[in-house]
């Protein structure tokens, strides 16, 4: 069996382009002792894929010439461990390729849920990140004003809906009027603000006339700065990611207002990585499942076909093409 793979040929210095990747065919590996052979079904596209090319994060930096890293939903084809058998589905860091062998001890069988793509979206990293980042780091109370950036993306669209479920007033920041309409008309956000508009700061202030209690920051940069200035005293900022800094040259200056506004407004900023809360995953998944079943939480997925389309799918995600969770069906 051949194994089609996408190799990250070179580490980008500026914007990511298709030329940074190469499609190759290798041999399908055989699983050794304690290993499983996996076949990729869906590969998750994450803004973090680009951040990993910049340097070490919560994982070591990617190197040119290696199979592009990435997580996804894989099916066990052969197993040399007792707790997994062929046909089981697992979430695995299997990379952008059709087949991979991995040690079985870090893998666990996923529940039998339909549609299985929800295992990558609302019941995967995106849903858990939204849940823990908002509820643990943001600590929203009913009546609070919650603002989320990259609001039409996979994490952001779930953050806003959970905040609504908790009785908050929710404002989403996203690129373009059309995404804004989708947030308010389909997902129930109270307002949306286009950060690409020349009027962004004024419109944000109009959308949060009394200020922001909780800001869920997916972007950093200018959007972070605008929200910092609009925070109420004792507000909380959940620092989830820095989308504005992943693709291209670093910005010439950091956000203004640090640390002055943090001091005078008595703000709490908390960075987090979703794995920090793994011990509470069962409770989070049960809440998420109940909200999806009751129709309070809508799941938006953006599925693209074909392993060969992974590079363009990531480039498009960084350019804002996606609504909700983007993934590639292999
Ligand atoms: P996503 O939100 O589904 O997609 C990225 C979106 O970001 C795009 O659709 C685009 O929408 C927006 N965007 C792109 N460039 C931007 C910019 N310069 N300023 C503002 N918005 C921009 O992606 P995701 O993978 O779910 O990631 C969302 C965030 O969560 C990222 O920061 C990621 O690193 C973070 N994350 C953190 C954890 C954790 O454990 N801390 C886990 C998972 C993800 P527009 O059309 O609105 O521009």
């Amino acid at each position: 069996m051949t194994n089609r793979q996408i190799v990250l040929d070179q580490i980008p210095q500026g914007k990511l382009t298709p030329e940074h990747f190469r499609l190759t065919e290798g041999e399908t590996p055989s699983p050794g002792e304690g290993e499983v052979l996996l076949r990729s079904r869906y590969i998750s596209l994450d803004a973090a894929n680009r951040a990993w090319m910049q340097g070490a994060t919560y994982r070591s930096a990617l190197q040119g010439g290696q199979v592009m890293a990435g997580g996804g939903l894989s099916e066990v084809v052969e197993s040399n461990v007792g707790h997994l058998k062929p046909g089981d589905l697992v979430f695995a860091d299997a990379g952008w390729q059709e087949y991979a062998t991995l040690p079985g001890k870090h893998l666990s069988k996923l529940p039998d849920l339909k549609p299985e793509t929800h295992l990558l979206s609302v019941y995967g990293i995106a849903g858990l990140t939204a849940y823990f980042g908002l509820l643990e780091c943001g600590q929203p109370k009913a009546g609070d004003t919650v603002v989320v950036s990259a609001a039409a993306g996979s994490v952001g669209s779930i953050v806003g809906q959970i905040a609504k479920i908790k009785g908050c007033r929710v404002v989403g920041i996203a690129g373009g009027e059309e995404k804004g309409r989708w947030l308010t008309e389909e997902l129930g956000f109270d307002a949306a603000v286009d950060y690409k508009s020349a009027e962004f700061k004024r419109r944000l202030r109009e959308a949060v006339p009394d200020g922001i209690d909780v800001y869920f920051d997916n972007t950093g940069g200018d959007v972070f700065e605008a929200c910092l200035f609009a925070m109420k005293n004792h507000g909380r900022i959940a620092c989830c990611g820095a989308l504005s800094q992943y693709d291209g040259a670093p910005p010439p200056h950091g956000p203004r207002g640090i640390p002055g506004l943090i001091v005078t407004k008595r703000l709490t900023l908390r960075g987090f990585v979703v794995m920090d809360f793994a011990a509470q995953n069962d409770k989070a998944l049960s809440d998420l499942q109940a909200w999806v079943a009751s129709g309070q939480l809508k799941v938006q997925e953006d599925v693209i076909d074909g392993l060969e389309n992974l590079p363009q799918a990531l480039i498009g995600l960084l350019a804002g093409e996606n609504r909700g969770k983007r993934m590639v069906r292999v």
Side-chain angles (χ1 to χ4, degrees):
M1 282 189 296
T2 55
N3 183 19
R4 291 194 311 147
Q5 305 173 310
I6 307 279
V7 169
L8 175 64
D9 226 5
Q10 309 154 40
I11 298 294
Q13 299 308 320
K15 275 206 167 300
L16 187 67
T17 68
E19 287 67 44
H20 292 111
F21 298 95
R22 169 168 53 89
L23 177 67
T24 63
E25 282 191 7
E27 285 282 302
T28 299
S30 294
E33 203 182 316
E35 288 189 333
V36 290
L37 173 65
L38 300 172
R39 184 173 68 79
S40 295
R41 280 206 193 169
Y42 291 90
I43 294 178
S44 173
L45 273 305
D46 299 278
N49 297 152
R50 178 66 182 88
W52 302 337
M53 299 174 193
Q54 290 181 326
T57 49
Y58 48 86
R59 66 186 293 154
S60 47
L62 303 187
Q63 305 295 326
Q66 71 176 96
V67 172
M68 177 60 197
L73 196 60
S74 294
E75 178 187 337
V76 175
V77 180
E78 274 179 66
S79 173
N80 291 334
V81 291
H83 66 285
L84 292 171
K85 60 178 191 330
D88 287 348
L89 284 186
V90 295
F91 179 79
D93 194 2
W96 287 12
Q97 54 187 337
E98 289 174 316
Y99 293 94
T101 51
L102 286 178
K105 65 180 174 194
H106 302 305
L107 302 173
S108 37
K109 182 183 168 179
L110 291 170
D112 191 12
L113 277 170
K114 294 285 177 275
E116 64 188 21
T117 50
H118 281 19
L119 293 165
L120 270 196
S121 60
V122 65
Y123 308 135
I125 287 172
L128 293 170
T129 301
Y131 183 96
F132 292 123
L134 178 68
L135 301 182
E136 295 292 328
C137 303
Q139 300 278 326
K141 296 183 296 300
D144 278 355
T145 294
V146 173
V147 174
V148 55
S149 52
S154 60
V155 174
S157 60
I158 299 175
V159 169
Q161 293 185 82
I162 298 177
K164 283 305 297 176
I165 291 166
K166 295 291 175 185
C168 303
R169 184 170 175 276
V170 179
V171 177
I173 299 175
E177 300 288 322
E178 203 184 317
K179 280 191 178 178
R181 269 196 300 280
W182 177 66
L183 292 173
T184 53
E185 291 172 13
E186 299 289 326
L187 299 192
F189 284 46
D190 296 284
V193 185
D194 176 6
Y195 74 94
K196 292 180 176 169
S197 152
E199 302 280 278
F200 166 59
K201 287 184 186 164
R202 185 177 61 74
R203 289 190 185 160
L204 178 66
R205 292 312 294 238
E206 284 169 3
V208 292
D210 301 325
I212 303 171
D213 295 285
V214 179
Y215 170 50
F216 191 106
D217 183 39
N218 280 319
T219 59
D222 293 343
V223 173
F224 174 91
E225 180 183 293
C227 291
L228 185 62
F229 277 82
M231 294 301 293
K232 282 189 196 170
N233 285 352
H234 303 286
R236 284 86 64 202
I237 302 182
C239 299
C240 177
L243 266 161
S244 66
Q245 338 257 291
Y246 294 162
D247 195 24
H253 58 81
R256 291 166 300 169
I258 297 175
L261 287 174
I262 297 171
V263 176
T264 55
K265 290 176 183 256
R266 292 86 160 168
L267 301 179
T268 304
L269 279 76
R270 182 164 169 200
F272 72 98
V273 173
V274 61
M275 283 82 90
D276 300 345
F277 301 99
Q280 299 172 57
N281 277 1
D282 287 351
K283 159 83 175 116
L285 289 170
S286 125
D287 283 349
L288 290 165
Q289 281 177 24
W291 294 331
V292 171
S294 68
Q296 288 171 287
L297 178 54
K298 291 185 183 161
V299 186
Q300 177 76 22
E301 294 171 345
D302 170 14
V303 182
I304 293 172
D305 274 313
L307 180 98
E308 65 283 2
N309 292 319
L310 277 159
Q312 197 52 53
L314 177 58
I315 292 163
L317 176 113
L318 296 166
E321 271 176 12
N322 64 307
R323 265 191 208 173
K325 176 69 206 163
R326 177 164 274 198
M327 61 187 89
V328 160
R329 183 172 20 224
V330 178

